[in-house]
Amino acid sequence: MKQFDYVLLAYGASFLILGWAAWLIIQRDRKLRHLLDKLKKGN
Amino acid sequence: MSFIFDHRPKQLISLIGQHVWWLAISSLILLAIGLGLSFWGSPADYQQGDTVRIMYIHVPCSWGAMATYFLMALISVWGFIKQLPLAHVIVKAMAPIGFCLCLVSLMTGSIWGKPTWGAWWVWDARLTSMLVLGLLYLAYTLLTHNGTSQNYKIAGFIVILGSVNLPIIKWSVDWWHTLHQPASIMRFAKSAIHWQMLIPLFVMAAGLACLSITLFLIRLRSELNYNRLIAQQIRGII
């Protein structure tokens, strides 16, 4: 592996982890807000 | 800190909704500029070559992981003293973000170690103490996942006790002979890094800080909404 390949691997893996975490956090937030809206409309 | 505690959960949720967008956009802009500067706006190191560019993601993530844990410990102490349940909700919202930053720090450090030291991992004092930080984050997250108030108390104590690890991480490179390089930015003497490398480092740090705050606010809103949902369910049963 060349030096620059290690750099690309580090940045790629970092943004994959951070992006995946952000996606999970946003999805959970959306799901909970949707559930609360549904309950509010039901009442 | 009292700024957050002065608000009721409903007020806090609407406040988060107002501010999360501009924070998210700022973090994306800062990270884009930071990435550009890291790859094209900074020179390669005379010894390490291009691999030094890993520093621009590795160092801000390490700072972030340690700063998040420090804040978690501080808020836990505040929560125990003032008997504030919201403090535990805030700490719970922070933990996974700190864990991700710690994971990225460990992983990028490992990738940087291979071309520099010739090994993916060494049981060096700095690396081991950072791994302990990751395990502390993991322990807290597992304990508070669908946890009872008793679990929150135990997890809070773990966070406070685990904060002993923070000075060990910071000064491990001075206290022991390690492969990891000594401090070159956060030190009492003048920084040992050239400004051409410091600028992308601080832009990336600002971008990651903005991203962490954005994700923390979204997590906090989720936790507050989750508690509202549980409270509504309990009311429905009663």
Side-chain angles (χ1 to χ4, degrees), chain B residues 132-185:
Chain B
V132 169
L133 184 72
L135 293 175
L136 283 167
Y137 271 126
L138 199 65
Y140 182 88
T141 309
L142 291 175
L143 261 171
T144 53
H145 183 68
N146 295 332
T148 58
S149 60
Q150 187 67 23
N151 285 27
Y152 277 97
K153 278 182 187 164
I154 296 166
F157 275 119
I158 288 175
V159 169
I160 295 164
L161 287 176
S163 61
V164 174
N165 190 38
L166 293 177
I168 296 175
I169 297 172
K170 172 77 183 102
W171 287 293
S172 56
V173 284
D174 302 319
W175 293 343
W176 293 283
H177 291 289
T178 61
L179 264 179
H180 196 285
Q181 66 171 70
S184 44
I185 304 156

